[in-house]
Amino acid sequence: MTDAPTAYAAAGVDIEAADRAIDLMKEWVEKARRPEMLGGLGGFAGLFDASALTKYKRPLLATSTDGVGTKVAIAQKMDVHDTIGHDLVGMVVDDLVVCGAEPLFMTDYIATGKVVPERIAAIVKGIAEACVLAGTALVGGETAEHPGLLAPDEYDVAGATTGVVEADDLLGADRVRAGDVVIAMEASGLHSNGYSLVRHVLLNTAKWELDRHVDELGTTLGEELLVPTRIYAKACLDLAKRTETHAMSHVTGGGLAANLERVMPKELTATIDRGTWTPQPIFDLVRQVGSVPQPDLEATLNQGVGMVSLTAPADVDAAIAGLAEFGIRAWVAGEVREAGADEAGKVTLTGQHPGW
């Protein structure tokens, strides 16, 4: 006799599938541990040994939460789910490190129309691998099945991370000085912002397919759009430790100038020279195919710069060399100076990218 489905299963929620997903993801979560992490999957709360904070004179806890926006739509269309976790981790940990905080632990949340264990495990695999790159522990998470709210193949992801910084080492606008050098750190691509614009231009308007090979990109459109967000956490923490870096800015939604202005004091201004770098081809492709004005691009996309530091002039060479040790290409992109009456706290882009 076949067992009748439970009332919950009849409503569209498969508890057995959720349990199997947990079994599949255990291997990856185990890799994303720190010594301070207690227990494993299955508890109601993730545990982290806070006695590690006793080495600080005045520890400040920092926290950040985010998602990956409509980039998940690309992953779902391509049926590739093991990279979107890199984007999630990059979005939260690199927001955290700009103040000098070390990311200690992270939790994730996955909502889906139907739990497919292999798909959920692939998402968590990406999250765990990225946590290792960031040096943070994945202490827990939640997978929620929302039939009727999301289609069976739809999902969204979100995460939150907590870190710590010594109060005396806190980076920010109050440390920035005239004469500081703007050091740009190369992005891996679009990262996880501006995908609504990119999808509108290339998929909806131009009607390009994700499997289309694009000569300018040297790959298919879908593969380019799924390039994972670069994780700067360890490199930026090392930068803060080894150099006199006063502030950092994670370039996400809003673009380069707007994000750098978040750490710019009102009495100062910064100028960034576009002529110091050429954005990756995907940015020019969106500009040309969609006839998108450059100001609109720069207010939406990172334009090839994923992170910026404001560093004392004497330490610029050491900063660029140190970032190179982490595989991050960096360059001098501008400078900070005293602000005039109409430029208080503003960041101005000048010149033009070579080849644009």
Side-chain angles (χ1 to χ4, degrees), residues 167-223:
D168 289 343
D169 297 330
L170 184 68
L171 304 181
D174 62 318
R175 292 195 172 207
V176 178
R177 299 290 182 265
D180 280 352
V181 173
V182 179
I183 296 178
M185 303 177 213
E186 188 175 45
S188 57
L190 292 167
H191 286 183
S192 298
N193 295 102
Y195 272 75
S196 293
L197 172 63
V198 174
R199 289 167 56 239
H200 172 72
V201 168
L202 300 180
L203 302 183
N204 300 338
T205 302
K207 304 297 183 184
W208 288 13
E209 299 293 335
L210 291 173
D211 61 0
R212 173 180 178 144
H213 186 276
V214 182
D215 290 342
E216 295 92 331
L217 302 177
T219 186
T220 67
L221 177 62
E223 288 170 333

Tab-separated table of all heavy atoms in Angstrom, residues 167-223:
chain	number	residue	atom	x	y	z
A	167	ALA	N	38.477	49.497	17.509
A	167	ALA	CA	37.966	50.860	17.369
A	167	ALA	C	39.020	51.819	16.831
A	167	ALA	O	38.731	52.682	15.994
A	167	ALA	CB	37.425	51.353	18.707
A	168	ASP	N	40.266	51.665	17.285
A	168	ASP	CA	41.331	52.562	16.835
A	168	ASP	C	41.714	52.342	15.381
A	168	ASP	O	42.395	53.177	14.786
A	168	ASP	CB	42.571	52.394	17.719
A	168	ASP	CG	42.377	52.956	19.123
A	168	ASP	OD1	41.429	53.744	19.317
A	168	ASP	OD2	43.164	52.597	20.019
A	169	ASP	N	41.290	51.214	14.811
A	169	ASP	CA	41.655	50.881	13.436
A	169	ASP	C	40.503	51.098	12.457
A	169	ASP	O	40.614	50.752	11.275
A	169	ASP	CB	42.109	49.421	13.346
A	169	ASP	CG	43.362	49.152	14.176
A	169	ASP	OD1	44.169	50.093	14.329
A	169	ASP	OD2	43.521	48.025	14.677
A	170	LEU	N	39.402	51.644	12.943
A	170	LEU	CA	38.228	51.836	12.101
A	170	LEU	C	38.542	52.797	10.954
A	170	LEU	O	39.031	53.906	11.167
A	170	LEU	CB	37.079	52.396	12.943
A	170	LEU	CG	35.732	52.576	12.238
A	170	LEU	CD1	35.130	51.227	11.871
A	170	LEU	CD2	34.775	53.357	13.138
A	171	LEU	N	38.260	52.365	9.729
A	171	LEU	CA	38.478	53.202	8.553
A	171	LEU	C	37.220	53.990	8.231
A	171	LEU	O	36.117	53.551	8.521
A	171	LEU	CB	38.855	52.331	7.348
A	171	LEU	CG	40.060	51.405	7.491
A	171	LEU	CD1	40.297	50.644	6.196
A	171	LEU	CD2	41.309	52.171	7.903
A	172	GLY	N	37.398	55.144	7.606
A	172	GLY	CA	36.221	55.914	7.233
A	172	GLY	C	36.559	57.346	6.877
A	172	GLY	O	37.734	57.754	6.840
A	173	ALA	N	35.515	58.127	6.626
A	173	ALA	CA	35.672	59.488	6.128
A	173	ALA	C	36.480	60.384	7.054
A	173	ALA	O	37.195	61.288	6.587
A	173	ALA	CB	34.288	60.098	5.892
A	174	ASP	N	36.397	60.146	8.360
A	174	ASP	CA	37.095	61.024	9.290
A	174	ASP	C	38.618	60.902	9.196
A	174	ASP	O	39.341	61.765	9.695
A	174	ASP	CB	36.643	60.746	10.729
A	174	ASP	CG	36.954	59.331	11.173
A	174	ASP	OD1	36.750	58.400	10.371
A	174	ASP	OD2	37.388	59.141	12.323
A	175	ARG	N	39.098	59.840	8.514
A	175	ARG	CA	40.542	59.655	8.374
A	175	ARG	C	41.086	60.204	7.052
A	175	ARG	O	42.294	60.350	6.895
A	175	ARG	CB	40.898	58.172	8.466
A	175	ARG	CG	40.670	57.562	9.833
A	175	ARG	CD	41.367	56.232	9.957
A	175	ARG	NE	41.327	55.723	11.317
A	175	ARG	CZ	42.230	54.908	11.836
A	175	ARG	NH1	43.252	54.493	11.113
A	175	ARG	NH2	42.112	54.488	13.088
A	176	VAL	N	40.214	60.437	6.106
A	176	VAL	CA	40.642	60.830	4.765
A	176	VAL	C	41.282	62.218	4.813
A	176	VAL	O	40.797	63.126	5.492
A	176	VAL	CB	39.449	60.810	3.789
A	176	VAL	CG1	39.884	61.259	2.392
A	176	VAL	CG2	38.850	59.404	3.735
A	177	ARG	N	42.381	62.375	4.062
A	177	ARG	CA	43.126	63.632	4.056
A	177	ARG	C	43.366	64.101	2.623
A	177	ARG	O	43.465	63.303	1.698
A	177	ARG	CB	44.491	63.440	4.745
A	177	ARG	CG	44.399	63.022	6.211
A	177	ARG	CD	43.891	64.156	7.081
A	177	ARG	NE	43.837	63.779	8.489
A	177	ARG	CZ	42.750	63.308	9.096
A	177	ARG	NH1	41.624	63.147	8.387
A	177	ARG	NH2	42.771	62.989	10.374
A	178	ALA	N	43.497	65.406	2.444
A	178	ALA	CA	43.908	65.948	1.151
A	178	ALA	C	45.265	65.368	0.793
A	178	ALA	O	46.159	65.275	1.645
A	178	ALA	CB	43.966	67.471	1.214
A	179	GLY	N	45.425	64.975	-0.455
A	179	GLY	CA	46.666	64.343	-0.894
A	179	GLY	C	46.571	62.834	-0.956
A	179	GLY	O	47.439	62.184	-1.561
A	180	ASP	N	45.555	62.238	-0.324
A	180	ASP	CA	45.367	60.793	-0.437
A	180	ASP	C	45.203	60.398	-1.904
A	180	ASP	O	44.645	61.149	-2.710
A	180	ASP	CB	44.123	60.344	0.348
A	180	ASP	CG	44.379	60.218	1.840
A	180	ASP	OD1	45.554	60.330	2.245
A	180	ASP	OD2	43.404	60.026	2.594
A	181	VAL	N	45.685	59.220	-2.213
A	181	VAL	CA	45.639	58.718	-3.586
A	181	VAL	C	44.480	57.732	-3.718
A	181	VAL	O	44.257	56.893	-2.840
A	181	VAL	CB	46.966	58.035	-3.953
A	181	VAL	CG1	46.875	57.368	-5.324
A	181	VAL	CG2	48.102	59.060	-3.934
A	182	VAL	N	43.747	57.857	-4.817
A	182	VAL	CA	42.668	56.922	-5.107
A	182	VAL	C	43.269	55.715	-5.833
A	182	VAL	O	43.766	55.853	-6.957
A	182	VAL	CB	41.576	57.564	-5.985
A	182	VAL	CG1	40.481	56.542	-6.287
A	182	VAL	CG2	41.003	58.796	-5.308
A	183	ILE	N	43.231	54.565	-5.176
A	183	ILE	CA	43.722	53.332	-5.788
A	183	ILE	C	42.518	52.499	-6.215
A	183	ILE	O	41.664	52.152	-5.393
A	183	ILE	CB	44.608	52.531	-4.812
A	183	ILE	CG1	45.858	53.336	-4.467
A	183	ILE	CG2	44.984	51.182	-5.417
A	183	ILE	CD1	46.773	52.643	-3.465
A	184	ALA	N	42.441	52.204	-7.498
A	184	ALA	CA	41.346	51.405	-8.047
A	184	ALA	C	41.765	49.945	-8.107
A	184	ALA	O	42.894	49.636	-8.484
A	184	ALA	CB	40.974	51.908	-9.437
A	185	MET	N	40.847	49.059	-7.744
A	185	MET	CA	41.088	47.622	-7.804
A	185	MET	C	40.168	47.013	-8.856
A	185	MET	O	38.948	47.232	-8.833
A	185	MET	CB	40.834	46.980	-6.437
A	185	MET	CG	41.656	47.575	-5.319
A	185	MET	SD	41.272	46.871	-3.708
A	185	MET	CE	41.559	48.307	-2.663
A	186	GLU	N	40.743	46.275	-9.761
A	186	GLU	CA	40.011	45.767	-10.911
A	186	GLU	C	38.879	44.826	-10.504
A	186	GLU	O	39.038	43.978	-9.621
A	186	GLU	CB	40.961	45.023	-11.844
A	186	GLU	CG	40.346	44.612	-13.168
A	186	GLU	CD	41.357	43.994	-14.101
A	186	GLU	OE1	42.155	43.144	-13.638
A	186	GLU	OE2	41.381	44.368	-15.290
A	187	ALA	N	37.744	44.983	-11.148
A	187	ALA	CA	36.617	44.072	-10.969
A	187	ALA	C	36.802	42.849	-11.857
A	187	ALA	O	37.554	42.878	-12.837
A	187	ALA	CB	35.313	44.780	-11.325
A	188	SER	N	36.112	41.779	-11.528
A	188	SER	CA	36.147	40.583	-12.375
A	188	SER	C	35.180	40.716	-13.542
A	188	SER	O	35.235	39.929	-14.491
A	188	SER	CB	35.797	39.338	-11.550
A	188	SER	OG	34.531	39.484	-10.927
A	189	GLY	N	34.303	41.703	-13.478
A	189	GLY	CA	33.298	41.919	-14.512
A	189	GLY	C	32.183	42.763	-13.949
A	189	GLY	O	32.421	43.694	-13.163
A	190	LEU	N	30.961	42.417	-14.284
A	190	LEU	CA	29.806	43.185	-13.813
A	190	LEU	C	29.571	43.049	-12.317
A	190	LEU	O	28.884	43.874	-11.711
A	190	LEU	CB	28.543	42.726	-14.544
A	190	LEU	CG	28.467	43.043	-16.040
A	190	LEU	CD1	27.327	42.259	-16.679
A	190	LEU	CD2	28.287	44.531	-16.261
A	191	HIS	N	30.128	42.009	-11.708
A	191	HIS	CA	29.839	41.657	-10.318
A	191	HIS	C	28.341	41.361	-10.170
A	191	HIS	O	27.815	40.541	-10.910
A	191	HIS	CB	30.364	42.720	-9.351
A	191	HIS	CG	31.869	42.679	-9.217
A	191	HIS	ND1	32.578	43.495	-8.372
A	191	HIS	CD2	32.799	41.909	-9.847
A	191	HIS	CE1	33.870	43.237	-8.467
A	191	HIS	NE2	34.024	42.271	-9.361
A	192	SER	N	27.628	42.036	-9.293
A	192	SER	CA	26.219	41.661	-9.067
A	192	SER	C	25.280	42.850	-9.073
A	192	SER	O	24.228	42.804	-8.443
A	192	SER	CB	26.094	40.908	-7.731
A	192	SER	OG	26.835	39.724	-7.754
A	193	ASN	N	25.673	43.893	-9.781
A	193	ASN	CA	24.827	45.078	-9.816
A	193	ASN	C	24.562	45.519	-11.255
A	193	ASN	O	25.391	45.306	-12.135
A	193	ASN	CB	25.489	46.234	-9.046
A	193	ASN	CG	25.626	45.920	-7.572
A	193	ASN	OD1	26.709	45.569	-7.114
A	193	ASN	ND2	24.533	46.018	-6.845
A	194	GLY	N	23.406	46.101	-11.468
A	194	GLY	CA	23.065	46.616	-12.782
A	194	GLY	C	22.508	45.590	-13.745
A	194	GLY	O	22.356	45.865	-14.936
A	195	TYR	N	22.157	44.412	-13.241
A	195	TYR	CA	21.688	43.353	-14.140
A	195	TYR	C	20.314	43.656	-14.736
A	195	TYR	O	19.991	43.141	-15.805
A	195	TYR	CB	21.704	42.000	-13.426
A	195	TYR	CG	23.045	41.316	-13.571
A	195	TYR	CD1	24.145	41.746	-12.841
A	195	TYR	CD2	23.225	40.283	-14.470
A	195	TYR	CE1	25.379	41.159	-12.985
A	195	TYR	CE2	24.464	39.676	-14.633
A	195	TYR	CZ	25.542	40.115	-13.887
A	195	TYR	OH	26.775	39.537	-14.057
A	196	SER	N	19.525	44.467	-14.078
A	196	SER	CA	18.247	44.838	-14.688
A	196	SER	C	18.492	45.636	-15.958
A	196	SER	O	17.810	45.447	-16.975
A	196	SER	CB	17.397	45.634	-13.696
A	196	SER	OG	17.007	44.820	-12.609
A	197	LEU	N	19.477	46.541	-15.944
A	197	LEU	CA	19.844	47.295	-17.130
A	197	LEU	C	20.449	46.375	-18.189
A	197	LEU	O	20.068	46.435	-19.369
A	197	LEU	CB	20.839	48.396	-16.773
A	197	LEU	CG	21.464	49.149	-17.961
A	197	LEU	CD1	20.402	49.891	-18.748
A	197	LEU	CD2	22.563	50.102	-17.481
A	198	VAL	N	21.386	45.536	-17.785
A	198	VAL	CA	22.070	44.652	-18.729
A	198	VAL	C	21.085	43.692	-19.386
A	198	VAL	O	21.116	43.488	-20.607
A	198	VAL	CB	23.192	43.872	-18.014
A	198	VAL	CG1	23.810	42.835	-18.951
A	198	VAL	CG2	24.266	44.839	-17.505
A	199	ARG	N	20.185	43.124	-18.610
A	199	ARG	CA	19.195	42.203	-19.162
A	199	ARG	C	18.243	42.936	-20.102
A	199	ARG	O	17.852	42.404	-21.147
A	199	ARG	CB	18.418	41.522	-18.026
A	199	ARG	CG	19.254	40.509	-17.240
A	199	ARG	CD	18.598	40.082	-15.943
A	199	ARG	NE	17.264	39.557	-16.164
A	199	ARG	CZ	16.155	40.057	-15.623
A	199	ARG	NH1	16.232	41.137	-14.836
A	199	ARG	NH2	14.990	39.509	-15.863
A	200	HIS	N	17.868	44.158	-19.729
A	200	HIS	CA	16.972	44.935	-20.590
A	200	HIS	C	17.625	45.216	-21.948
A	200	HIS	O	16.986	45.060	-23.002
A	200	HIS	CB	16.607	46.249	-19.910
A	200	HIS	CG	15.844	47.197	-20.780
A	200	HIS	ND1	14.523	46.988	-21.137
A	200	HIS	CD2	16.220	48.361	-21.396
A	200	HIS	CE1	14.124	47.962	-21.928
A	200	HIS	NE2	15.121	48.812	-22.103
A	201	VAL	N	18.897	45.601	-21.916
A	201	VAL	CA	19.596	45.965	-23.150
A	201	VAL	C	19.877	44.748	-24.021
A	201	VAL	O	19.552	44.735	-25.223
A	201	VAL	CB	20.914	46.702	-22.821
A	201	VAL	CG1	21.787	46.833	-24.072
A	201	VAL	CG2	20.616	48.077	-22.238
A	202	LEU	N	20.504	43.719	-23.450
A	202	LEU	CA	21.012	42.618	-24.255
A	202	LEU	C	19.998	41.501	-24.490
A	202	LEU	O	19.972	40.910	-25.585
A	202	LEU	CB	22.269	42.034	-23.608
A	202	LEU	CG	23.440	43.019	-23.432
A	202	LEU	CD1	24.619	42.323	-22.774
A	202	LEU	CD2	23.856	43.619	-24.764
A	203	LEU	N	19.161	41.219	-23.497
A	203	LEU	CA	18.226	40.103	-23.629
A	203	LEU	C	16.855	40.560	-24.124
A	203	LEU	O	16.299	39.966	-25.056
A	203	LEU	CB	18.078	39.376	-22.292
A	203	LEU	CG	19.369	38.820	-21.674
A	203	LEU	CD1	19.050	38.075	-20.390
A	203	LEU	CD2	20.118	37.928	-22.645
A	204	ASN	N	16.319	41.598	-23.521
A	204	ASN	CA	14.955	42.011	-23.849
A	204	ASN	C	14.868	42.859	-25.120
A	204	ASN	O	13.976	42.653	-25.946
A	204	ASN	CB	14.342	42.772	-22.674
A	204	ASN	CG	14.268	41.937	-21.412
A	204	ASN	OD1	14.282	40.712	-21.478
A	204	ASN	ND2	14.216	42.577	-20.264
A	205	THR	N	15.801	43.819	-25.255
A	205	THR	CA	15.739	44.725	-26.405
A	205	THR	C	16.483	44.164	-27.614
A	205	THR	O	15.925	44.068	-28.709
A	205	THR	CB	16.307	46.105	-26.031
A	205	THR	OG1	15.567	46.630	-24.917
A	205	THR	CG2	16.197	47.069	-27.197
A	206	ALA	N	17.752	43.787	-27.438
A	206	ALA	CA	18.536	43.249	-28.550
A	206	ALA	C	18.167	41.811	-28.888
A	206	ALA	O	18.533	41.319	-29.953
A	206	ALA	CB	20.030	43.351	-28.230
A	207	LYS	N	17.467	41.134	-27.964
A	207	LYS	CA	17.007	39.760	-28.177
A	207	LYS	C	18.162	38.766	-28.343
A	207	LYS	O	18.037	37.766	-29.043
A	207	LYS	CB	16.080	39.665	-29.401
A	207	LYS	CG	14.875	40.587	-29.364
A	207	LYS	CD	13.954	40.255	-28.206
A	207	LYS	CE	12.702	41.139	-28.223
A	207	LYS	NZ	11.823	40.897	-27.045
A	208	TRP	N	19.281	39.041	-27.678
A	208	TRP	CA	20.397	38.102	-27.719
A	208	TRP	C	20.091	36.912	-26.819
A	208	TRP	O	19.468	37.061	-25.759
A	208	TRP	CB	21.683	38.777	-27.253
A	208	TRP	CG	22.237	39.757	-28.243
A	208	TRP	CD1	21.616	40.279	-29.343
A	208	TRP	CD2	23.535	40.352	-28.205
A	208	TRP	NE1	22.434	41.151	-29.995
A	208	TRP	CE2	23.634	41.221	-29.327
A	208	TRP	CE3	24.622	40.238	-27.362
A	208	TRP	CZ2	24.779	41.951	-29.595
A	208	TRP	CZ3	25.776	40.977	-27.621
A	208	TRP	CH2	25.847	41.824	-28.738
A	209	GLU	N	20.548	35.733	-27.223
A	209	GLU	CA	20.396	34.530	-26.413
A	209	GLU	C	21.633	34.348	-25.541
A	209	GLU	O	22.741	34.773	-25.892
A	209	GLU	CB	20.199	33.301	-27.304
A	209	GLU	CG	18.958	33.356	-28.183
A	209	GLU	CD	17.662	33.298	-27.371
A	209	GLU	OE1	17.700	32.764	-26.242
A	209	GLU	OE2	16.638	33.796	-27.867
A	210	LEU	N	21.448	33.687	-24.415
A	210	LEU	CA	22.569	33.495	-23.495
A	210	LEU	C	23.652	32.596	-24.064
A	210	LEU	O	24.816	32.684	-23.663
A	210	LEU	CB	22.060	32.929	-22.164
A	210	LEU	CG	21.211	33.889	-21.325
A	210	LEU	CD1	20.619	33.179	-20.122
A	210	LEU	CD2	22.034	35.094	-20.880
A	211	ASP	N	23.300	31.720	-25.007
A	211	ASP	CA	24.305	30.833	-25.601
A	211	ASP	C	24.982	31.461	-26.825
A	211	ASP	O	25.770	30.805	-27.507
A	211	ASP	CB	23.706	29.477	-25.965
A	211	ASP	CG	22.571	29.585	-26.986
A	211	ASP	OD1	22.246	30.711	-27.415
A	211	ASP	OD2	21.999	28.536	-27.341
A	212	ARG	N	24.694	32.715	-27.097
A	212	ARG	CA	25.324	33.418	-28.220
A	212	ARG	C	26.793	33.672	-27.924
A	212	ARG	O	27.145	34.260	-26.898
A	212	ARG	CB	24.601	34.734	-28.481
A	212	ARG	CG	25.278	35.628	-29.535
A	212	ARG	CD	24.502	36.905	-29.726
A	212	ARG	NE	25.141	37.798	-30.689
A	212	ARG	CZ	24.469	38.559	-31.540
A	212	ARG	NH1	23.140	38.529	-31.556
A	212	ARG	NH2	25.118	39.357	-32.368
A	213	HIS	N	27.678	33.267	-28.831
A	213	HIS	CA	29.097	33.578	-28.680
A	213	HIS	C	29.325	35.007	-29.134
A	213	HIS	O	28.933	35.397	-30.233
A	213	HIS	CB	29.963	32.621	-29.493
A	213	HIS	CG	31.431	32.819	-29.236
A	213	HIS	ND1	32.196	33.786	-29.886
A	213	HIS	CD2	32.273	32.195	-28.371
A	213	HIS	CE1	33.436	33.724	-29.432
A	213	HIS	NE2	33.513	32.779	-28.521
A	214	VAL	N	29.954	35.787	-28.275
A	214	VAL	CA	30.197	37.195	-28.567
A	214	VAL	C	31.703	37.385	-28.720
A	214	VAL	O	32.465	37.194	-27.768
A	214	VAL	CB	29.656	38.100	-27.439
A	214	VAL	CG1	29.870	39.570	-27.781
A	214	VAL	CG2	28.176	37.817	-27.191
A	215	ASP	N	32.135	37.735	-29.927
A	215	ASP	CA	33.564	37.842	-30.214
A	215	ASP	C	34.254	38.829	-29.283
A	215	ASP	O	35.385	38.588	-28.828
A	215	ASP	CB	33.776	38.268	-31.673
A	215	ASP	CG	33.405	37.171	-32.661
A	215	ASP	OD1	33.319	35.998	-32.238
A	215	ASP	OD2	33.187	37.493	-33.847
A	216	GLU	N	33.600	39.965	-29.008
A	216	GLU	CA	34.210	40.973	-28.145
A	216	GLU	C	34.485	40.431	-26.737
A	216	GLU	O	35.411	40.879	-26.060
A	216	GLU	CB	33.307	42.205	-28.031
A	216	GLU	CG	33.119	42.959	-29.335
A	216	GLU	CD	31.890	42.476	-30.095
A	216	GLU	OE1	31.519	41.290	-29.962
A	216	GLU	OE2	31.307	43.301	-30.819
A	217	LEU	N	33.672	39.464	-26.317
A	217	LEU	CA	33.825	38.893	-24.981
A	217	LEU	C	34.742	37.678	-24.975
A	217	LEU	O	35.299	37.314	-23.936
A	217	LEU	CB	32.454	38.486	-24.422
A	217	LEU	CG	31.402	39.595	-24.314
A	217	LEU	CD1	30.085	39.008	-23.814
A	217	LEU	CD2	31.878	40.712	-23.400
A	218	GLY	N	34.849	37.029	-26.125
A	218	GLY	CA	35.647	35.814	-26.203
A	218	GLY	C	34.974	34.620	-25.561
A	218	GLY	O	35.624	33.602	-25.272
A	219	THR	N	33.673	34.720	-25.332
A	219	THR	CA	32.918	33.647	-24.694
A	219	THR	C	31.442	33.864	-25.009
A	219	THR	O	31.082	34.790	-25.744
A	219	THR	CB	33.165	33.643	-23.171
A	219	THR	OG1	32.537	32.506	-22.587
A	219	THR	CG2	32.615	34.912	-22.519
A	220	THR	N	30.590	33.013	-24.464
A	220	THR	CA	29.161	33.232	-24.671
A	220	THR	C	28.671	34.337	-23.750
A	220	THR	O	29.288	34.636	-22.713
A	220	THR	CB	28.350	31.961	-24.393
A	220	THR	OG1	28.422	31.650	-22.988
A	220	THR	CG2	28.851	30.782	-25.219
A	221	LEU	N	27.556	34.918	-24.124
A	221	LEU	CA	26.987	35.983	-23.306
A	221	LEU	C	26.658	35.477	-21.910
A	221	LEU	O	26.964	36.126	-20.906
A	221	LEU	CB	25.725	36.536	-23.978
A	221	LEU	CG	24.969	37.613	-23.204
A	221	LEU	CD1	25.835	38.837	-22.988
A	221	LEU	CD2	23.676	37.980	-23.936
A	222	GLY	N	26.042	34.303	-21.829
A	222	GLY	CA	25.665	33.752	-20.534
A	222	GLY	C	26.854	33.512	-19.628
A	222	GLY	O	26.814	33.801	-18.422
A	223	GLU	N	27.939	32.980	-20.187
A	223	GLU	CA	29.133	32.731	-19.377
A	223	GLU	C	29.725	34.032	-18.849
A	223	GLU	O	30.186	34.099	-17.703
A	223	GLU	CB	30.161	31.963	-20.205
A	223	GLU	CG	29.768	30.515	-20.457
A	223	GLU	CD	30.660	29.830	-21.478
A	223	GLU	OE1	31.226	30.530	-22.350
A	223	GLU	OE2	30.768	28.599	-21.426
